[in-house]
């Protein structure tokens, strides 16, 4: 059984943790209801700071939502991290008609975009929980727990700053003021550096370890490395040396790249399976968001990563042609744009009528987990799931063949940070200061990643063009592609990189660079006079 350090207090305890009704939609907090107990449950509030990333509310998949007015499953952190960073890019497109999906698909979002509201409010809700905990315990609190919550707050402020630029900010429960992206960057950096000494030491763990899932020094280093890798975007000043420095700290800790598969499953697939917390795959996780089919049920966690990408005709297990993804959920929504397939098949020779394991074999790359059977490569009809190859990366299978705990909800943890990110961060950051080509050490780290996938390696260096494609091959459908494209100048603005339906045109068209940053939700602008809208949005 997975270590549910794990967010699983009873719903009543979680409610009492805040002593108030469900969290509001911004960094303000409604007055405490005098009819509710105001006794603070600090253990519950501490767990709630983690749970905001894994669960929509306190009542499970069909229970309440922490965000007033928004369905809990749709407003889950993992789901909206995916939507905001995958759907507007060259990696994914969705056939559903839910409000906001088309805006993501076609890079046509504005201040009224409902799903971007959900992402914004999920982050600000989590920040509010963290502020509540830190303000309540003060200087008398457990130093390690306070440091963890400071990390979680900095993480969500980072996500908010990355997506929304000039953001509302407060470390109390007062109405937030807006700060610039530069100011947010400076605060996130200083907060992580201040919290890091009191965090648990960086170490690889499995779910049988009592601290599995908690924020460690390694998680802080990885977030700092990501912050520094994108510093030029956020502040105008690159910090490649610092990005490499903190990535190397992660690399030099005892995390391990998973390189050994089990049975029919490759080492890469094991990172995205139901027992990824129990196998050696867990040793690659620097910060996992925990999922459990019995105790952390949600429509917006890794179930979304699994079910939204499968229909009943797809199957990922070569030993069981009748199985789909090892849940009873197959929603048929997200599938690959052809540009992602071309990263693995640059000669446009991907096999037709292939399930994911056959596709990977044809690509000579274990990461090419795509289904062409019953699918076309091109997405001529956006509303048809069969247009665009299926993606079978995420599943609820176990590497041992053991049964799933729950027919509907997966045990598959979400590795928000994993060691491979440190490898690619180091390789890119050092290439940026080495004339655009990897150093010997950077080349070795990319070769390690590719060797794990049984892909070809090279003795000479990799270029920055190679590296942006390697980010896609290693991390597609993990909620980061938009960030990488922006860093390489390949997202908004005038550039030569097109993908199908970019900007709403089948052959792709450029869209405004202002749209590299999302709009502050319109109702936030209307209700908080401290906030001003981002450039390019009315």
């Amino acid at each position: 059984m997975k270590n549910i350090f794990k967010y699983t207090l009873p719903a009543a305890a979680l409610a009492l943790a805040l002593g108030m009704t469900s969290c509001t939609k911004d960094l303000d907090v409604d007055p405490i209801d005098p009819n509710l107990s105001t006794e603070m449950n600090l253990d519950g509030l501490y767990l709630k700071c983690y749970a905001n990333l894994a669960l929509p509310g306190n009542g499970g998949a069909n229970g309440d939502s922490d965000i007033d007015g928004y369905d809990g499953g749709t407003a889950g952190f993992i789901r909206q991290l995916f939507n905001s960073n995958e759907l507007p890019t060259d990696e994914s497109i969705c056939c559903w008609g839910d409000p906001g999906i088309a805006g993501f698909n076609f890079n046509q979002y504005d201040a009224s975009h409902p799903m971007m509201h959900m992402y914004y409010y999920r982050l600000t809700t989590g920040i509010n929980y963290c502020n509540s905990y830190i303000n309540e315990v003060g200087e008398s609190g457990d130093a390690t727990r306070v440091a963890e919550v400071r990390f979680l707050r900095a993480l969500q402020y980072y996500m908010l700053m990355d997506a929304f630029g000039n953001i509302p900010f407060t470390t109390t429960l007062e109405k937030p003021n807006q700060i610039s992206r530069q100011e947010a960057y400076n605060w996130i950096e200083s907060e992580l550096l201040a919290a890091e000494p009191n965090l648990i030491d960086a170490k690889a763990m499995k779910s049988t370890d009592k601290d599995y899932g908690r924020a460690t020094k390694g998680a802080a280093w990885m977030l700092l490395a990501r912050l520094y890798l994108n510093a030029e975007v956020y502040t105008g000043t690159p910090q490649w040396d610092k990005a490499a420095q903190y990535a190397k700290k992660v690399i030099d800790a005892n995390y391990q790249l998973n390189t050994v598969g089990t049975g029919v499953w490759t080492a890469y697939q094991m990172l995205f399976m139901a027992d990824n917390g129990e196998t050696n795959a867990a040793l690659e996780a620097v910060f996992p968001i925990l999922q459990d089919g019995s105790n952390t049920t949600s429509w917006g966690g890794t179930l979304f990563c699994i079910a939204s990408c499968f229909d009943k005709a797809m199957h990922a297990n070569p030993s069981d042609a009748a199985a789909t993804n090892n849940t009873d959920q197959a929603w048929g929504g997200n599938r690959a744009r052809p540009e992602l397939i071309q990263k693995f098949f640059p000669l446009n020779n991907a096999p037709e009528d292939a399930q994911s394991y056959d596709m990977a074999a044809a690509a000579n790359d274990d990461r090419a987990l795509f289904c062409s059977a019953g699918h076309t490569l091109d997405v001529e009809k956006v509303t048809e799931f069969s247009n665009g190859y299926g993606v079978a990366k995420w599943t609820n299978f176990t590497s041992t063949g053991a049964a799933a705990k729950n027919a509907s909800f997966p045990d598959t943890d979400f590795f928000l940070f994993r060691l491979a990110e440190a490898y690619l961060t180091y390789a890119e950051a050092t290439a940026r200061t080495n004339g655009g080509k990897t150093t010997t050490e950077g080349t070795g780290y990319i070769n390690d990643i590719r060797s794990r996938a049984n892909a070809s390696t090279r003795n000479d260096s990799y270029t920055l063009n190679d590296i942006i494609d390697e980010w896609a091959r290693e991390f597609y459908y993990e909620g980061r592609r938009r960030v990488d494209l922006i860093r390489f100048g390949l997202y908004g603005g005038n550039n030569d990189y097109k993908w199908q339906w970019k900007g709403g045109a089948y052959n792709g068209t450029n869209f405004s660079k202002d749209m590299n940053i999302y709009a502050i939700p319109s109702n936030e602008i209307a209700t908080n006079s401290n906030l001003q809208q981002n450039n390019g949005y009315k």
Side-chain angles (χ1 to χ4, degrees):
M1 171 127 180
K2 290 187 178 179
N3 166 27
I4 298 286
F5 107 77
K6 244 191 164 167
Y7 337 131
T8 53
L9 283 187
L14 289 171
L16 289 175
L18 292 179
M20 59 185 177
T21 57
S22 64
C23 189
T24 55
K25 293 181 184 175
D26 55 26
L27 294 177
D28 271 332
V29 179
D30 282 340
I32 295 173
D33 185 339
N35 296 315
L36 292 177
S37 168
T38 58
E39 179 181 353
M40 186 67 72
N41 181 329
L42 290 178
D43 287 340
L45 183 52
Y46 163 74
L47 293 178
K48 189 66 174 175
C49 293
Y50 279 98
N52 184 66
L53 301 177
L55 296 168
N58 300 337
N62 296 313
D64 60 319
S65 172
D66 288 334
I67 305 176
D68 296 337
Y70 291 102
D71 172 74
T74 308
F77 168 75
I78 292 171
R79 185 166 181 163
Q80 292 309 331
L81 177 74
F82 180 101
N83 284 342
S84 63
N85 289 300
E86 296 291 343
L87 292 186
T89 76
D90 58 348
E91 291 190 351
S92 185
I93 195 164
C94 186
C95 65
W96 298 336
D98 306 39
I101 290 291
F104 276 140
N105 283 340
F106 304 139
N107 312 101
Q108 295 171 350
Y109 34 80
D110 57 22
S112 63
H113 191 276
M115 289 196 177
M116 189 43 59
H117 288 196
M118 295 181 201
Y119 188 43
Y120 177 95
Y121 292 133
R122 177 57 61 188
L123 295 172
T124 54
T125 294
I127 291 165
N128 183 56
Y129 290 139
C130 294
N131 282 341
S132 297
Y133 181 83
I134 293 168
N135 281 269
E136 182 65 25
V137 302
E139 296 182 0
S140 63
D142 177 276
T144 301
R145 284 192 171 193
V146 170
E148 290 173 56
V149 175
R150 291 178 74 179
F151 165 82
L152 293 170
R153 182 174 63 177
L155 170 67
Q156 289 167 101
Y157 265 130
Y158 167 79
M159 297 290 184
L160 197 69
M161 177 269 291
D162 171 77
F164 297 96
N166 304 327
I167 57 172
F169 179 83
T170 182
T171 58
T172 69
L173 301 182
E174 302 299 321
K175 184 182 289 290
N177 292 306
Q178 192 167 30
I179 62 175
S180 69
R181 211 178 201 190
Q182 175 75 68
E183 291 170 321
Y185 176 97
N186 293 343
W187 182 87
I188 293 163
E189 178 187 29
S190 64
E191 183 73 354
L192 289 170
L193 292 173
E196 183 263 349
N198 289 321
L199 291 169
I200 299 167
D201 287 341
K203 55 185 176 182
M205 289 180 274
K206 294 183 180 181
S207 64
T208 49
D209 296 306
K210 66 182 180 64
D211 293 327
Y212 177 73
R214 295 176 72 179
T216 66
K217 287 181 172 66
W221 299 337
M222 196 68 259
L223 182 52
L224 281 164
R226 188 180 289 192
L227 180 74
Y228 292 136
L229 187 67
N230 293 285
E232 188 171 24
V233 173
Y234 301 145
T235 71
T237 303
Q239 296 287 356
W240 307 122
D241 288 342
K242 287 185 177 180
Q245 174 191 349
Y246 277 89
K248 194 66 163 64
K249 288 171 75 72
V250 176
I251 293 168
D252 289 343
N254 76 332
Y255 303 105
Q256 301 172 29
L257 202 70
N258 187 50
T259 58
V260 179
T262 300
V264 299
W265 305 105
T266 67
Y268 185 75
Q269 286 176 301
M270 290 176 67
L271 298 170
F272 312 101
M273 296 177 66
D275 56 354
N276 60 352
E278 288 71 60
T279 67
N280 284 346
L283 304 182
E284 186 169 331
V286 179
F287 184 62
I289 297 174
L290 310 184
Q291 303 280 277
D292 183 276
S294 299
N295 296 303
T296 58
T297 60
S298 169
W299 306 109
T302 52
L303 176 63
F304 171 79
C305 299
I306 297 168
S308 71
C309 298
F310 278 80
D311 66 5
K312 293 294 185 180
M314 291 173 57
H315 58 90
N317 186 346
S319 297
D320 186 354
T324 53
N325 53 42
N326 212 33
T327 76
D328 59 10
Q329 304 293 311
W331 307 339
N334 296 314
R335 66 273 194 219
R337 301 197 199 217
E339 289 74 21
L340 176 57
I341 307 304
Q342 288 161 3
K343 300 293 186 290
F344 294 92
F345 294 96
L347 300 179
N348 293 317
N349 58 343
E352 298 179 358
D353 199 32
Q355 291 290 347
S356 58
Y357 37 85
D358 296 323
M359 186 72 69
N364 294 313
D365 192 320
D366 293 343
R367 300 169 297 184
L369 298 169
F370 308 113
C371 173
S372 61
H375 290 254
T376 62
L377 176 65
D378 291 314
V379 184
E380 295 184 357
K381 294 182 179 179
V382 175
T383 56
E384 295 290 336
F385 182 67
S386 61
N387 279 220
Y389 285 1
V391 178
K393 179 171 179 171
W394 294 87
T395 74
N396 195 41
F397 292 107
T398 64
S399 60
T400 62
K405 292 179 187 175
N406 190 307
S408 295
F409 298 103
D411 297 320
T412 308
D413 293 341
F414 187 92
F415 295 169
L416 185 64
F417 297 144
R418 56 187 179 90
L419 181 59
E421 178 177 347
Y423 281 21
L424 277 175
T425 297
Y426 184 90
E428 180 186 333
T430 51
R432 297 276 188 178
T433 60
N434 190 50
K437 295 183 178 181
T438 51
T439 63
T440 300
E441 196 170 19
T443 299
Y445 288 138
I446 294 179
N447 283 343
D448 288 344
I449 291 172
R450 291 183 60 80
S451 292
R452 183 258 294 281
N454 290 305
S456 62
T457 60
R458 61 174 63 166
N459 294 322
D460 58 337
S461 58
Y462 293 89
T463 68
L464 289 174
N465 286 338
D466 296 325
I467 291 171
I468 184 59
D469 286 349
E470 200 63 37
W471 278 114
R473 284 187 285 264
E474 180 68 21
F475 283 98
Y476 70 92
Y477 276 50
E478 294 183 53
R480 63 169 296 139
R481 184 58 171 173
R482 172 189 145 271
V483 182
D484 294 330
L485 288 175
I486 290 171
R487 185 173 67 257
F488 278 79
L490 301 176
Y491 190 67
N494 293 323
N495 60 73
D496 294 330
Y497 186 52
K498 305 294 190 299
W499 58 82
Q500 275 188 9
W501 298 110
K502 179 183 180 182
Y506 176 73
N507 291 318
T509 189
N510 288 331
F511 54 89
S512 171
K513 191 174 182 178
D514 287 336
M515 299 184 78
N516 285 357
I517 298 175
Y518 289 115
I520 303 292
S522 53
N523 50 335
E524 285 292 281
I525 300 294
T527 58
N528 186 349
S529 60
N530 294 334
L531 304 181
Q532 293 184 349
Q533 188 54 271
N534 289 323
N535 290 336
Y537 298 99
K538 295 182 180 179

